[in-house]
């Protein structure tokens, strides 16, 4: 057996174990509400609102900050669409029923998490340009990423991979525009 296959089996085994726990766990009401809201915020409208706010109130760096985050997001969308079509990994909610989440997935495939990738791709350059927003932007991104696992939309590895690629795209975009 190849090393790649062994590593993938290890990751998939852990992913399935977490999925089974999450899908059977009846989370507290406050957490369920938070996760549904976080995933809805990650659908895009919060990022559009933040982009408009940056353009209107972002000071001298507003156009550069907006361009860096918009470029990172554009790259993130291209990357996750290509990789999802290539991976064709089923979503956890397609494999096993979830005990409380009824959120429908935006597309068919799981790997990587587009919500997590987009969240970090946008949050990283904005956090660098506006350090006073860093805690809020990273908390929002982490909430969006966690919501995707807790709602049964993604495996942990989908979210970790999406988050890491998003961070790389966001930082690369910042470097491109600074």
């Amino acid at each position: 057996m190849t090393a790649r296959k062994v590593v993938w089996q290890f990751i998939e085994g852990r992913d399935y174990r977490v999925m089974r726990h999450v899908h059977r766990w009846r989370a507290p009401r406050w957490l369920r509400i938070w996760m549904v809201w976080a995933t809805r915020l990650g659908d895009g409208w919060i990022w559009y609102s933040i982009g408009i706010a940056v353009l209107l109130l972002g000071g001298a760096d507003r156009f550069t900050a907006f361009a860096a985050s918009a470029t990172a997001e554009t790259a993130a969308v291209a990357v996750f669409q290509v990789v999802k079509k290539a991976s064709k990994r089923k979503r956890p909610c397609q494999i096993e029923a979830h005990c409380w989440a009824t959120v429908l997935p935006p597309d068919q495939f799981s790997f990587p998490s587009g919500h997590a990738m987009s969240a970090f791709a946008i949050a990283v350059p904005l956090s660098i340009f506006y350090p006073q927003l860093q805690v809020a932007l990273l908390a929002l991104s982490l909430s969006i990423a966690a919501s995707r696992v807790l709602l049964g939309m993604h495996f942990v590895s989908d979210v970790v991979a999406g988050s890491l690629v998003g961070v790389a795209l966001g930082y690369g975009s910042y470097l491109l525009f600074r």
Side-chain angles (χ1 to χ4, degrees), residues 38-98:
T39 226
R40 292 295 173 229
L41 289 172
D43 286 344
W45 67 269
I46 193 70
W47 301 120
Y48 302 133
S49 301
I50 290 171
I52 291 168
V54 164
L55 287 173
L56 294 175
L57 308 169
D61 288 334
R62 68 180 181 248
F63 296 117
T64 307
F66 181 85
S69 59
T71 300
E73 170 57 4
T74 301
V77 169
V79 168
F80 79 70
Q81 286 183 347
V82 168
V83 175
K84 277 184 185 236
K85 286 178 184 165
S87 77
K88 294 185 168 74
R89 186 179 195 191
K90 285 186 176 183
R91 291 179 177 273
C93 60
Q94 295 168 320
I95 296 169
E96 178 181 290
H98 196 288

Side-chain angles (χ1 to χ4, degrees), residues 116-117 120-121 124-125 162-172:
M117 191 181 298
F120 283 98
V124 166
S163 298
L164 291 174
V165 172
V167 166
L169 291 171
Y171 188 68

Side-chain angles (χ1 to χ4, degrees), residues 53-55 57-66 123-135 137:
V54 164
L55 287 173
L57 308 169
D61 288 334
R62 68 180 181 248
F63 296 117
T64 307
F66 181 85
V124 166
L126 291 180
S127 293
I128 297 170
F129 280 105
Y130 304 105
Q132 66 275 22
L133 299 177
Q134 184 176 40
V135 171
L137 288 167

Side-chain angles (χ1 to χ4, degrees), residues 143-166:
S143 291
I144 290 167
S147 75
R148 303 308 288 167
V149 173
L150 292 177
L151 295 173
M153 298 292 106
H154 289 285
F155 294 103
V156 172
S157 62
D158 302 337
V159 170
V160 169
S163 298
L164 291 174
V165 172

